[in-house]
Amino acid sequence: MTEVIKFDKEGRIGRITIDNPPANALSFAVVKGIANTVANFVEDTQLSALIISGAGKMFVAGADIREFNMARPKDVPELHNLINSIEESPKPIIAALNGLALGGGLELAMGCHFRVAHEKALLGQPEVKLGIIPGAGGTQRLPRLVGAEMALKMIVGGEPISAKEALGVGLVDEILTEDFISDSIAFAKKVMSGSARPTGKIKLEITDSTIFDKWRDKIKPKSRGLDAPYECVSCVEAAFNNSFEKGLELERKIFVNLRDGEKSKAMRHMFFAEREINKVPGLSKNTETLDINTAAVVGAGTMGGGIAMNFANAGIPVKLLDISKDAVETGIEIIRKNYNRSVASGRFTQETVEKRMELITGTTDYQDLSQVDIVIEAVFEDMELKKGIFIELEKVCKSEAILASNTSSLDINEIAKVTNRPEKVCGTHFFSPANVMKLMENVRAKDTSIETVATIMRLSKTLKKTGVLVGVGDGFVGNRMMHVAARVAEFMVEEGALPWQIDEVIYNFGFPMGPFAMNDLAGVDVRYSIRQEQKKLYGDRRQSIILENLYQTGRFGQKTNGGWYTYDKGERKGRPEPEVETLIVETSEQLGFKRREFSDQEILDRYLAALINTGAHVLEERLAMRGSDIDVIWNYGYGFPRYRGGPMFYADQVGLDKIYKSVCNYNTDYGDWLRPSILLERLASEGGSLGKYSID
Ligand code: T1G
């Protein structure tokens, strides 16, 4: 027997403990160990019942996702067959859920004849988040235990339910509150003289067969490009229209199909990428961090207000500072309006909002920031202004306090120089709207200490954000890539494409919107001023004249009811504007371009080549630690479709040699904006991977 499975007995009760840290995943070794032990139990006349539980805090977090791409050894049964054999045991087998039971873990438990759970246990089928369906009987057994609606909620939604809820719907038989092990043995003694109770034998009947189509409609808005949610519905539906065996067969077929498809591979990549971001060289569990119990935000504009809301949402008192009383009051007013919208939509109660508002205090006096643990500066992108603020902060803030900037483009090393604590200066780059967007680019400047890094990475978690550590460089990681891709989109417009054609291609690829619609949202004037600033760095490169010409017309985007598009009153979706089209045609003439047709494919290829090549440059310059970090940034910050796995993973799927060739090609049109990355060239020639690339 392998050591991931422990076995002991008490009287006529056998007990399996799955001990496969960190998540007790059902690896090949675990499956083999359970299978052998169950076979022995069935044969052993001395034993009347068997308990299966997990060591540590989890029961089982599911099948081992790392093994999805590996060949199963011949002597290891498939998980679904193991679960079937458990169900077929003539003697009762009890799942004792000591903690989380997810995916294959819950399926294993449902194959058992009884389920008892610790009060803190959670039970769920999260497979849909990995682009698959439950593949070991979950879609057939869960409806038999809890009915169609609850099964759909759990399988299609993917969120776990509590032990208490599971008890209420019949998914567990008892909640054990005292000593978990002895209580589960006591439960086993109670049921051991009875017979096994196979879930698969439960007869199913549907009272309302329209429920499945209702679910299909319900998931539509959030399932663009996804297959798994719909397949989940179909499989649960199949449970009601087929024999148990037929249902299992169908589930298996669909599961294998999805598991081996590109979308699930991409979503699994994202699962691991999200876990990698926390792995920072030199940082360990023992790295000292500063407890952030109080905070301050300098700048009460949209960004500053949004950041302050994050602290209030996490229960951390926050001071919001601006130069004038008016600015502070306006800022707080906007925060209240934002919260009120959440009350109107039913997300928060008025009481919650009042509690959060109480945590936000306005001030115009720097002295009020003397005792806070962290200050985040979120003022206009002006180096001198920021330096002035950091000089003030240095004077008033306690020496342990961290001083962070929310700059999206300026050099934090330069800002750090005006303080006497460069080791405590860093960037915390939130994305707009800061109270909604999950991404934080945490910027490590030249002298930022590992303790400061550890503190801001932890802070991201406290604020329920996804924090990715990046280095100092123009636009850090996300915006650096975004600006190059957006420029290429603008160049294509100068050469013959139209903004709405490009936006449609990018939307159809899976982004929430295209670069022009996004620009209208963020402000044409904002992009224009960033570009003016960038001329200092890239003045010799091709510039986007169309953006400059549009800026001159005063069409700044949604805020002026028109930018690239025109926005009719009350509409958030723009319509193509003939005036803009005329301006585009005139700009092409001005630049001496004979306008030509762009196919949708060419648009996509050029746009993504810009994104990927710049991502490779970012890695070369060590601004991101891993290709997968870039993928997380693009998923959370820009809505890169998760089922395509982020630009770096996507590049691997297309083929790096193909991407490299395209980049070399486009380099002729776009010059240094698409200067082929040396890293991309190397990885393409070696057959390497950008998604798996790590700078160390
Ligand atoms: N397989 C392999 N590794 C796993 C794993 C799994 N199922 N679950 C977690 N890990 C690793 C994870 O990579 C990390 O490793 C460590 O455990 C701690 O995780 C047939 C097809 C359980 C809620 O989708 O949601 O069953 O980075 O950092 O915040 O139908 O992990 O330390 O090296 O996330 O406490 C279905 C996925 C699988 C659950 C714990 N199950 N896991 O969260 O810690 S498919 C899932 C989670 C399946 C059957 C099918 C979370 C967690 P490392 P962590 P955490």
Side-chain angles (χ1 to χ4, degrees):
M1 192 189 304
T2 41
E3 49 194 271
V4 287
I5 294 299
K6 305 220 159 65
F7 181 73
D8 56 59
K9 302 186 218 187
E10 186 169 313
R12 299 189 64 80
I13 315 268
R15 207 165 67 92
I16 290 179
T17 307
I18 302 165
D19 189 5
N20 184 26
N24 288 341
L26 297 167
S27 63
F28 296 137
V30 169
V31 170
K32 184 176 167 184
I34 299 176
N36 290 342
T37 319
V38 168
N40 291 341
F41 158 72
V42 171
E43 295 299 315
D44 191 338
T45 52
Q46 303 296 307
L47 293 176
S48 303
L50 179 69
I51 298 173
I52 304 179
S53 67
K57 289 213 167 92
M58 286 190 206
F59 172 65
V60 167
D64 191 327
I65 308 167
R66 285 180 206 277
E67 288 179 355
F68 273 30
N69 306 327
M70 296 180 198
R72 186 172 41 85
K74 283 206 172 61
D75 59 343
V76 177
E78 291 203 71
L79 179 61
H80 62 281
N81 288 333
L82 163 68
I83 293 174
N84 289 345
S85 71
I86 287 176
E87 192 172 71
E88 282 159 16
S89 155
K91 296 184 279 183
I93 302 183
I94 300 116
L97 311 179
N98 52 306
L100 258 188
L102 294 182
L106 180 55
E107 291 173 301
L108 173 69
M110 290 191 294
C112 294
H113 308 110
F114 298 91
R115 283 154 297 282
V116 292
H118 188 276
E119 56 188 345
K120 290 207 174 121
L122 293 171
L123 298 82
Q125 298 284 178
E127 287 89 340
V128 71
K129 296 182 190 172
L130 298 172
I132 49 176
I133 61 167
T139 66
Q140 306 303 300
R141 288 194 180 90
L142 193 54
R144 284 180 159 77
L145 289 166
V146 303
E149 181 65 37
M150 190 64 190
L152 286 165
K153 187 176 157 214
M154 289 177 70
I155 294 173
V156 182
E159 290 305 319
I161 61 170
S162 67
K164 200 169 153 208
E165 204 177 349
L167 180 73
V169 296
L171 186 51
V172 301
D173 300 293
E174 240 174 63
I175 292 182
L176 308 181
T177 45
E178 305 284 315
D179 181 330
F180 190 76
I181 294 177
S182 52
D183 281 1
S184 52
I185 292 171
F187 181 90
K189 282 186 182 152
K190 231 172 28 183
V191 297
M192 73 181 180
S193 52
S195 57
R197 200 182 57 163
T199 309
K201 293 273 185 271
I202 298 172
K203 288 270 165 291
L204 270 181
E205 255 176 64
I206 190 80
T207 43
D208 174 13
S209 57
T210 63
I211 180 180
F212 303 106
D213 278 340
K214 283 187 192 142
W215 268 87
R216 287 184 182 101
D217 285 344
K218 186 172 158 180
I219 60 181
K220 223 180 226 161
K222 288 203 169 156
S223 304
R224 195 160 62 96
L226 299 174
D227 306 320
Y230 295 101
E231 297 289 25
C232 286
V233 176
S234 297
C235 275
V236 175
E237 187 175 24
F240 290 86
N241 299 329
N242 292 281
S243 67
F244 180 60
E245 292 69 26
K246 259 253 147 61
L248 285 182
E249 235 172 74
L250 185 80
E251 176 195 86
R252 190 74 207 150
K253 212 168 117 202
I254 294 175
F255 168 77
V256 170
N257 232 338
L258 291 175
R259 182 198 61 192
D260 297 344
E262 289 299 322
K263 292 182 186 181
S264 174
K265 276 186 201 149
M267 290 167 89
R268 271 136 52 194
H269 166 76
M270 291 310 295
F271 172 82
F272 289 115
E274 277 171 18
R275 278 147 187 90
E276 282 300 297
I277 55 174
N278 297 312
K279 293 172 191 160
V280 177
L283 192 153
S284 75
K285 281 199 177 113
N286 304 327
T287 310
E288 262 182 48
T289 54
L290 179 71
D291 284 339
I292 305 290
N293 297 316
T294 51
V297 177
V298 176
T302 319
M303 209 60 198
I307 297 172
M309 286 171 81
N310 286 315
F311 283 103
N313 294 346
I316 299 172
V318 57
K319 298 205 162 37
L320 187 60
L321 182 143
D322 212 312
I323 36 170
S324 74
K325 224 171 146 225
D326 270 2
V328 174
E329 275 168 12
T330 312
I332 291 188
E333 196 95 327
I334 293 172
I335 293 177
R336 182 169 276 287
K337 270 196 194 138
N338 274 334
Y339 275 136
N340 284 347
R341 235 177 279 141
S342 302
V343 174
S345 71
R347 265 190 70 219
F348 296 149
T349 63
Q350 194 63 46
E351 198 191 343
T352 310
V353 168
E354 295 313 322
K355 269 199 196 130
R356 293 184 187 187
M357 286 305 296
E358 266 171 36
L359 292 170
I360 304 173
T361 327
T363 180
T364 54
D365 186 357
Y366 274 92
Q367 212 57 49
D368 282 344
L369 312 191
S370 64
Q371 293 309 308
V372 299
D373 300 312
I374 188 167
V375 182
I376 297 180
E377 163 279 307
V379 301
F380 196 67
E381 292 288 83
D382 178 316
M383 182 55 98
E384 290 317 305
L385 175 64
K386 288 189 194 261
K387 279 185 180 168
I389 289 168
F390 274 75
I391 290 171
E392 277 311 308
L393 294 174
E394 175 61 49
K395 276 192 228 154
V396 301
C397 291
K398 62 182 181 185
S399 58
E400 315 89 271
I402 289 178
L403 307 181
S405 173
N406 179 55
T407 180
S408 60
S409 55
L410 299 179
D411 184 348
I412 296 176
N413 290 324
E414 209 179 317
I415 298 176
K417 271 192 210 146
V418 304
T419 73
N420 294 326
R421 59 180 99 181
E423 75 287 356
K424 294 200 164 64
V425 177
C426 61
T428 47
H429 178 211
F430 290 78
F431 284 65
S432 186
N435 53 317
V436 178
M437 296 293 286
K438 286 262 169 273
L439 180 66
M440 262 173 91
E441 279 184 334
N442 291 332
V443 190
R444 169 161 40 184
K446 188 163 65 66
D447 296 319
T448 311
S449 68
I450 192 73
E451 290 77 14
T452 301
V453 168
T455 304
I456 52 169
M457 292 300 282
R458 207 182 66 178
L459 176 66
S460 296
K461 285 195 182 145
T462 309
L463 301 183
K464 298 208 164 57
K465 299 280 173 189
T466 300
V468 184
L469 193 64
V470 302
V472 175
D474 170 43
F476 308 117
V477 173
N479 282 348
R480 166 82 167 278
M481 293 167 66
M482 187 273 285
H483 275 290
V484 177
R487 279 178 195 272
V488 165
E490 290 157 26
F491 295 153
M492 286 192 274
V493 164
E494 290 173 347
E495 292 157 13
L498 288 169
W500 22 99
Q501 185 196 0
I502 294 178
D503 276 356
E504 193 178 309
V505 170
I506 302 306
Y507 175 82
N508 287 340
F509 178 76
F511 277 98
M513 63 181 93
F516 297 97
M518 187 162 111
N519 190 203
D520 272 356
L521 196 64
V524 172
D525 53 334
V526 175
R527 181 172 288 178
Y528 173 82
S529 71
I530 293 171
R531 296 289 175 82
Q532 293 309 104
E533 196 58 35
Q534 286 183 335
K535 277 187 182 166
K536 290 180 197 157
L537 289 170
Y538 314 114
D540 55 337
R541 296 187 186 179
R542 177 173 167 183
Q543 300 298 321
S544 165
I545 306 304
I546 183 60
L547 179 79
E548 305 205 353
N549 288 352
L550 183 70
Y551 172 81
Q552 297 307 335
T553 66
R555 296 180 63 93
F556 293 164
Q558 288 201 16
K559 58 187 162 191
T560 59
N561 299 325
W564 298 99
Y565 296 84
T566 288
Y567 297 83
D568 294 327
K569 212 165 182 275
E571 288 292 328
R572 302 197 72 174
K573 189 168 163 40
R575 63 178 163 77
E577 170 56 57
E579 234 178 76
V580 172
E581 193 164 335
T582 307
L583 183 75
I584 289 170
V585 172
E586 285 169 3
T587 305
S588 302
E589 271 169 31
Q590 178 195 347
L591 294 169
F593 286 122
K594 190 171 175 323
R595 293 182 65 74
R596 68 170 178 96
E597 287 274 319
F598 277 79
S599 72
D600 290 355
Q601 190 60 49
E602 183 178 1
I603 288 174
L604 187 66
D605 288 349
R606 285 182 181 243
Y607 190 80
L608 292 176
L611 213 54
I612 293 161
N613 185 56
T614 313
H617 277 296
V618 158
L619 287 169
E620 236 171 81
E621 292 168 31
R622 306 174 74 85
L623 296 185
M625 288 188 292
R626 288 167 281 251
S628 60
D629 286 6
I630 296 180
D631 289 339
V632 173
I633 287 174
W634 269 80
N635 179 227
Y636 282 92
Y638 303 85
F640 195 101
R642 208 175 161 82
Y643 61 85
R644 296 198 195 269
M648 301 292 102
F649 177 86
Y650 181 76
D652 290 340
Q653 305 312 298
V654 174
L656 296 187
D657 47 346
K658 205 167 154 201
I659 302 271
Y660 177 70
K661 266 190 216 131
S662 302
V663 171
C664 292
N665 232 346
Y666 305 144
N667 182 224
T668 326
D669 293 334
Y670 307 136
D672 271 357
W673 292 119
L674 256 83
R675 177 168 46 80
S677 142
I678 295 167
L679 176 68
L680 175 61
E681 181 186 12
R682 177 164 71 73
L683 294 176
S685 71
E686 288 171 356
S689 155
L690 272 174
K692 294 202 182 96
Y693 182 79
S694 161
I695 61 173
D696 290 310

